[in-house]
Amino acid sequence: MSLLNRASRIVPSGSWSAAADHVALDYEARFLRRKRLVAASGAEFLVDLAEVTNLRGGEAFALEDGRLIEVRCGLEPVLVVTGDLTRLAWHIGNRHTPCQIETDRLVIRDDHVLEAMLRGLGARVEKRMEPFRPESGAYGTGRTMGHDHGHFHAHA
């Protein structure tokens, strides 16, 4: 049994060049601390970070042997939402749903309940397979968590 090459450090986006390989990770997989990954070439490596990290894509894992493995956002099922974006973004945010906000569209993870709600609000919704890069948390880092976190709202 051979030992896996280990990555215990992340090199920030824009501060590296010439990665030896890449790994495509969806939104959930980019939230990690310790995990075995397989790069595009088939090479396996172990990510072993000091703390849970939220990767946005564009970073690189620094392997112990000196190679860099680029982190790319993998394709995943999303809903592309167009229409009255301000109003629709408010309803998406009210459900604490991660959302990628662009000039002419909103992108959320595929969810049939939210799809029905958005269509009911007059949105145009298209199912696609795309990379998903939602906004970070309210204070610029971290993740927006789902609405099922146990607090009570008095909805009128």
Side-chain angles (χ1 to χ4, degrees):
M1 173 191 276
S2 65
L3 295 175
L4 291 178
N5 209 331
R6 194 169 76 107
S8 58
R9 188 172 62 87
I10 302 291
V11 182
S13 177
S15 65
W16 59 271
S17 62
D21 207 340
H22 74 271
V23 62
L25 303 173
D26 69 14
Y27 177 66
E28 288 301 323
R30 293 193 315 268
F31 192 64
L32 74 161
R33 189 192 82 71
R34 190 167 203 270
K35 188 172 187 175
R36 187 175 130 207
L37 295 177
V38 180
S41 68
E44 297 180 15
F45 62 101
L46 175 67
V47 175
D48 189 13
L49 305 173
E51 58 189 26
V52 175
T53 303
N54 180 37
L55 301 170
R56 302 261 316 139
E59 304 90 346
F61 293 113
L63 299 181
E64 289 177 323
D65 67 5
R67 290 180 297 147
L68 297 177
I69 307 294
E70 177 187 2
V71 176
R72 294 183 184 171
C73 296
L75 299 178
E76 58 189 292
V78 297
L79 299 175
V80 175
V81 181
T82 56
D84 181 355
L85 296 184
T86 302
R87 181 170 172 256
L88 297 169
W90 185 88
H91 283 282
I92 291 168
N94 192 43
R95 281 142 187 90
H96 300 240
T97 300
C99 183
Q100 180 176 320
I101 301 170
E102 299 178 4
T103 304
D104 58 349
R105 69 186 199 152
L106 304 172
V107 182
I108 62 173
R109 294 170 78 197
D110 191 355
D111 180 299
H112 71 280
V113 173
L114 291 175
E115 179 182 4
M117 176 200 73
L118 291 164
R119 287 185 191 280
L121 292 167
R124 290 175 299 285
V125 181
E126 183 181 346
K127 291 179 180 259
R128 290 229 185 122
M129 288 293 291
E130 294 185 4
F132 181 55
R133 293 186 63 180
E135 292 293 312
S136 294
Y139 298 99
T141 60
R143 290 196 169 207
T144 303
M145 300 304 173
H147 201 96
D148 58 347
H149 47 84
H151 69 259
F152 174 77
H153 286 282
H155 295 283

